[in-house]
Amino acid sequence: MSKILIRGAQVLGGEAQDVLIDGETIAEVGAGLSAEGVDTVIEAAGQVLLPGLVDLHTHLREPGREDSETVLTGTRAAASGGYTAVFAMANTFPVADTAGVVEQVWRLGKESGYCDVQPIGAVTVGLEGKQLSELGAMHESAARVTVFSDDGKCVDDAVIMRRALEYVKAFGGVVAQHAQEPRLTEGAQMNEGTVSAELGLGGWPAVAEESIIARDVLLAEHVGSRVHICHLSTAGSVEIVRWAKSRGIDVTAEVTPHHLLLTDELVRSYNPVYKVNPPLRTERDVMALREALADGTIDIVATDHAPHPHEDKDCEWAAAAMGMVGLETALSVVQQTMVETGMLDWAGVAERMSFAPARIGGLSHQHGRPVSAGEPANLTLVDTSYRGLVDPAHFASRSRNTPYEGRELPGRVTHTFLRGRATVVDGKLA
Amino acid sequence: MKRHLISAADLTRDDAVLILDTAEEMARVADRPIKKLPTLRGRTICNLFFEDSTRTRISFEAAEKRLSADVINFAAKGSSVSKGESLKDTAQTLEAMGVDAVVIRHHASGAPYRLANSGWIDAPVINAGDGTHQHPTQALLDAFTMRRRLVGRDAGLGKGLDGRRITIVGDVLHSRVARSNVDLLHTLGAEVTLVAPPTLVPVGVENWPCEVSYSLDEVLPKSDAVMMLRVQRERMNAAFFPTEREYSRRYGLDGARMARMPEHAIVMHPGPMVRGMEITAEVADSDRCTVVEQVANGVSIRMAVLYLLLGGSEPAVTTSTAARTEENK
Ligand SMILES: [Zn+2]
């Protein structure tokens, strides 16, 4: 077992401390720790040490779309971005709606070695919204599934949604809803508003998201269950979640990095890198999302990492696939939009990108743990003073559909540790 | 002028007036016994149609041939090109064949913009209609028709449509013609009013340079031109309006309504006209209706656009504007 000493890093952005990793765990945290018997010393003065990041919303594409991403390439991308655990969405081919498929994904995650992979199970068979999947069997499988989602699609049938919320109470599960009223978004290609009117692209109205969230928080209240809302994108959604929390409803919510930074004005380029679901909204929405993330109305940042091969994006807007990769740029976008604007400190970032997602997903025994002696050594070291242009050629993800190519973003993950093993060293995959 | 013609919004007033004036020159060619100019001899133009439109395609083809260009017609229909990749592949094939300009019609909004701006091809791109986005040559031919009728064939030279009141009626939401016309007519100084049921007015229209009214009867008496848009019957099934009859009653143009328009006012339609729901036969066949002229003017406008994008900015025909102004004195 190797011993690693991280020297002088600001733990959670606070005091500079030394952290000694011994094997899989943190052995000691303090000032001026001795380097005796240590195999590797990392001089980390000025860098910020965070608990390993946890992404509650990742598309790894395996099985079925290995040309976009595999569990191996996706977890390498995750490690590069500072993540030590990711939740893999269920919209694979076949859909992860049985114990067999979730166990396959879970096992591939184990073998990858870069990042823990926690499969998400589909709420309904084939994501068709008609019949509940074997939620219990997925929970009892080796993968121990606790998060269920038809993401990519909305569970729009109110009865099915009600039953799912009720059913998973038996084993402490949670339903993560992709809130999109399907009839209101038929033919939708971007945010409905000024820009869509001008560009002649089908509009995705904010109310299509808000109406489902409103319904679901009321359903969760009615059946006394908890619900998680994926990728909030509008100011109105924030208001509904805020109201639901004030009423005591057990709801949690996530926002993606791109919804914290980008607006629908970018779609004027007709460049499909900006085509995503839910769509990029307005400046007003972006500001409301930042505030909600800062004040805790939105609990976590989740990437919605959605890899697509080049040819699915190098075409006209209407034909292009929806989604963007995000694992490798998430922390930088959060630094720029939340930390550098003074809305969050690094402890706040750790809460929203590690502690809370681990809690919501039921992974808190392993991930999202405090940086202290005796805890699993899942850690991320960030050089926050770094400035550089995003170059997707260096991405570990198999797909390069990033909206940030050529954009300057701050911060760089220099080291990631998964249970004491370095998965990233000096910014490169180990 | 820009290198491509993608959107009517890209045209400055000077660009637009130059195109209209050049089209007047081109229109004279149609009056000659040999309807051909040598201007684009040796140049190859591809009409790349991903969406059926015989009318628009023939109009472009006539314009290209009158300018002596070599014409390639590429009609990509159906499922074989439903994958986005094919636009890029097709573009690169055309590039390799040394095409000098591409006229593109596409069911997807933004496809011509992508074609012009993604480095797939070098040649100028002319948008012949994309999704529900733009149809700039249609707007130009409409403006040309209005200028001729409302200002005068020769009196209009060098001029816009300042102070003219234009009303566009019908399915604005799905209409690239409406979008293009609002942009261009505003640039040319006209005052535009859109008339439609609220369900067929796009969210965000408040930022467009035009007025919006839900009442046709209120707007008709102060309109110099009324442009009726095609309303597709499918829209009824999607609950954009209750019944065909109710639509006709509130937004259709019949003889009685036409009588409420000022004496000089004209009725326009981008075609193809389906007589009944939005326009009655009585109106369509009246001499105030400019549909046939619009078709003829379409060729002149497309000649002008091709000439200006490919030929240069000099006057198109050797009988210069100056010489002709002499004639008209
Ligand atoms: Zn989603």
Side-chain angles (χ1 to χ4, degrees):
Chain A
M1 286 302 218
S2 74
K3 282 191 179 182
I4 303 166
L5 182 63
I6 302 169
R7 197 134 66 181
Q10 292 170 275
V11 175
L12 299 175
E15 301 273 290
Q17 305 263 24
D18 295 347
V19 175
L20 179 67
I21 300 172
D22 187 358
E24 295 193 357
T25 51
I26 297 171
E28 229 182 317
V29 178
L33 299 186
S34 156
E36 215 179 290
V38 164
D39 304 285
T40 312
V41 176
I42 296 166
E43 297 297 346
Q47 298 198 40
V48 171
L49 186 67
L50 299 172
L53 306 183
V54 176
D55 188 16
L56 196 65
H57 193 146
T58 305
H59 295 275
L60 292 179
R61 303 291 187 220
E62 190 175 7
R65 281 309 299 267
E66 291 82 356
D67 58 325
S68 306
E69 193 82 284
T70 64
V71 172
L72 180 62
T73 60
T75 51
R76 285 165 64 95
S80 299
Y83 288 88
T84 52
V86 298
F87 285 74
M89 272 299 171
N91 62 337
T92 48
F93 302 94
V95 171
D97 56 5
T98 62
V101 180
V102 294
E103 281 190 359
Q104 179 191 1
V105 173
W106 175 77
R107 193 167 330 93
L108 287 165
K110 283 229 158 294
E111 286 162 9
S112 85
Y114 281 93
C115 190
D116 284 350
V117 174
Q118 183 57 45
I120 291 175
V123 177
T124 66
V125 174
L127 308 177
E128 283 175 357
K130 298 199 173 77
Q131 187 193 341
L132 289 182
S133 308
E134 292 188 354
L135 307 170
M138 288 190 273
H139 178 71
E140 283 159 20
S141 74
R144 306 298 302 169
V145 176
T146 58
V147 182
F148 299 91
S149 180
D150 276 0
D151 182 63
K153 284 187 174 176
C154 180
V155 181
D156 67 305
D157 183 314
V159 171
I160 297 283
M161 187 62 186
R162 174 195 173 149
R163 300 286 182 246
L165 288 169
E166 285 176 312
Y167 194 82
V168 300
K169 283 203 293 183
F171 41 85
V174 64
V175 177
Q177 175 71 293
H178 170 120
Q180 175 181 8
E181 211 294 315
R183 284 281 280 154
L184 285 173
T185 52
E186 273 170 20
Q189 308 220 36
M190 67 171 297
N191 180 46
E192 180 173 276
T194 309
V195 183
S196 67
E198 206 174 299
L199 298 184
L201 291 173
W204 198 133
V207 67
E209 174 172 308
E210 294 153 4
S211 57
I212 293 289
I213 297 175
R215 183 199 72 176
D216 287 354
V217 294
L218 291 172
L219 280 174
E221 177 180 50
H222 182 65
V223 302
S225 189
R226 73 180 171 121
V227 64
H228 176 77
I229 311 294
C230 296
H231 40 53
L232 256 63
S233 70
T234 78
S237 299
V238 166
E239 285 311 307
I240 294 163
V241 171
R242 192 171 279 139
W243 170 83
K245 286 189 166 180
S246 75
R247 198 174 154 94
I249 297 171
D250 199 354
V251 55
T252 53
E254 69 189 35
V255 63
T256 72
H258 47 271
H259 287 112
L260 292 172
L261 179 60
L262 309 175
T263 70
D264 65 351
E265 289 291 328
L266 291 162
V267 181
R268 290 183 190 282
S269 66
Y270 283 110
N271 186 341
V273 291
Y274 301 114
K275 187 173 175 182
V276 67
N277 181 357
L280 302 178
R281 306 286 189 182
T282 67
E283 188 71 21
R284 182 178 150 262
D285 295 304
V286 166
M287 291 307 155
L289 292 165
R290 289 185 189 181
E291 274 166 34
L293 184 64
D295 72 19
T297 302
I298 295 177
D299 301 82
I300 64 170
V301 174
T303 66
D304 195 6
H305 177 81
H308 291 292
H310 182 67
E311 57 272 22
D312 287 4
K313 286 288 194 180
D314 189 29
C315 56
E316 62 273 23
W317 181 275
M322 291 192 273
M324 37 182 78
V325 292
L327 285 168
E328 292 169 84
T329 48
L331 194 57
S332 292
V333 175
V334 171
Q335 180 177 336
Q336 180 174 321
T337 57
M338 300 302 297
V339 180
E340 296 187 352
T341 55
M343 299 182 85
L344 278 185
D345 58 14
W346 285 103
V349 172
E351 168 63 20
R352 287 154 184 81
M353 297 184 77
S354 179
F355 296 115
R359 238 176 7 244
I360 295 166
L363 269 196
S364 291
H365 53 293
Q366 271 290 320
H367 293 273
R369 306 290 308 169
V371 182
S372 49
E375 296 290 349
N378 296 318
L379 296 166
T380 294
L381 195 56
V382 191
D383 177 2
T384 58
S385 63
Y386 176 85
R387 289 285 178 288
L389 303 183
V390 176
D391 181 1
H394 297 140
F395 280 5
S397 176
R398 176 160 285 180
S399 294
R400 306 280 154 89
N401 49 310
T402 176
Y404 309 117
E405 179 167 6
R407 193 186 264 256
E408 187 182 282
L409 289 179
R412 171 171 169 265
V413 171
T414 62
H415 291 75
T416 308
F417 298 93
L418 176 62
R419 279 184 293 280
R421 189 178 82 80
T423 54
V424 172
V425 175
D426 292 329
K428 294 191 179 63
L429 284 165
Chain B
M1 258 178 68
K2 292 195 171 183
R3 243 168 58 73
H4 309 285
L5 179 58
I6 306 298
S7 166
D10 297 340
L11 296 170
T12 64
R13 184 183 167 104
D14 285 350
D15 290 339
V17 170
L18 175 65
I19 295 170
L20 300 186
D21 288 355
T22 306
E24 283 291 2
E25 305 271 357
M26 296 298 176
R28 286 167 200 281
V29 176
D31 299 335
R32 297 180 180 183
I34 297 168
K35 300 178 177 32
K36 225 169 160 98
L37 291 176
T39 323
L40 298 183
R41 186 178 291 151
R43 316 290 285 278
T44 304
I45 300 174
C46 180
N47 300 319
L48 184 56
F49 275 54
F50 287 86
E51 183 186 72
D52 261 347
S53 174
T54 312
R55 294 161 55 96
T56 304
R57 209 251 306 139
I58 289 176
S59 179
F60 269 105
E61 192 172 343
E64 289 150 8
K65 288 184 168 162
R66 280 188 194 168
L67 292 170
S68 303
D70 296 321
V71 179
I72 301 172
N73 284 311
F74 180 92
K77 257 190 78 178
S79 59
S80 59
V81 294
S82 62
K83 277 212 71 167
E85 218 178 323
S86 65
L87 176 59
K88 182 185 178 186
D89 291 347
T90 309
Q92 288 179 336
T93 306
L94 295 175
E95 178 81 345
M97 286 162 49
V99 162
D100 296 294
V102 177
V103 174
I104 176 174
R105 169 87 151 207
H106 205 286
H107 44 79
S109 299
Y113 184 96
R114 264 309 256 166
L115 184 63
N117 292 288
S118 52
W120 298 336
I121 194 166
D122 243 3
V125 173
I126 297 161
N127 183 359
D130 62 327
T132 51
H133 177 224
Q134 281 275 336
H135 194 357
T137 59
Q138 176 73 43
L140 284 161
L141 77 87
D142 290 338
F144 184 77
T145 307
M146 289 177 215
R147 197 177 75 168
R148 275 190 157 190
R149 282 282 200 124
L150 302 176
V151 187
R153 187 170 174 155
D154 292 308
L157 285 174
K159 296 207 177 103
L161 288 163
D162 301 272
R164 297 305 193 286
R165 289 176 298 194
I166 318 294
T167 301
I168 302 175
V169 187
D171 185 357
V172 175
L173 180 62
H174 301 97
S175 175
R176 52 193 172 209
V177 175
R179 279 174 177 72
S180 313
N181 268 291
V182 168
D183 288 334
L184 183 67
L185 293 171
H186 172 72
T187 301
L188 289 170
E191 292 163 22
V192 182
T193 304
L194 301 174
V195 178
T199 47
L200 290 173
V201 175
V203 169
V205 78
E206 57 280 5
N207 296 302
W208 292 11
C210 63
E211 299 291 313
V212 175
S213 169
Y214 305 137
S215 165
L216 182 56
D217 289 316
E218 275 173 30
V219 182
L220 281 179
K222 35 186 183 177
S223 301
D224 297 308
V226 177
M227 184 184 298
M228 303 304 293
L229 300 173
R230 166 100 167 273
V231 178
Q232 292 174 328
R233 295 204 153 88
E234 305 91 272
R235 306 288 180 226
M236 208 172 73
N237 303 328
F240 284 104
F241 50 87
T243 64
E244 201 173 303
R245 199 176 59 153
E246 174 155 328
Y247 183 88
S248 292
R249 189 146 70 191
R250 292 179 57 82
Y251 298 101
L253 191 60
D254 58 9
R257 279 217 168 95
M258 188 167 65
R260 307 189 54 189
M261 293 164 52
E263 198 85 352
H264 67 275
I266 55 173
V267 175
M268 309 181 72
H269 194 295
M273 267 190 300
V274 183
R275 292 156 193 240
M277 183 152 55
E278 77 263 4
I279 194 164
T280 62
E282 184 189 359
V283 176
D285 296 333
S286 90
D287 57 5
R288 296 173 134 201
C289 183
T290 61
V291 172
V292 177
E293 283 165 65
Q294 284 172 267
V295 173
N297 292 341
V299 178
S300 307
I301 279 291
R302 285 162 184 139
M303 287 173 76
V305 167
L306 289 164
Y307 169 77
L308 291 169
L309 285 182
L310 287 173
S313 49
E314 293 297 301
V317 188
T318 38
T319 54
S320 69
T321 312
R324 222 193 37 251
T325 319
E326 281 302 315
E327 276 171 36
N328 294 334
K329 273 184 180 165

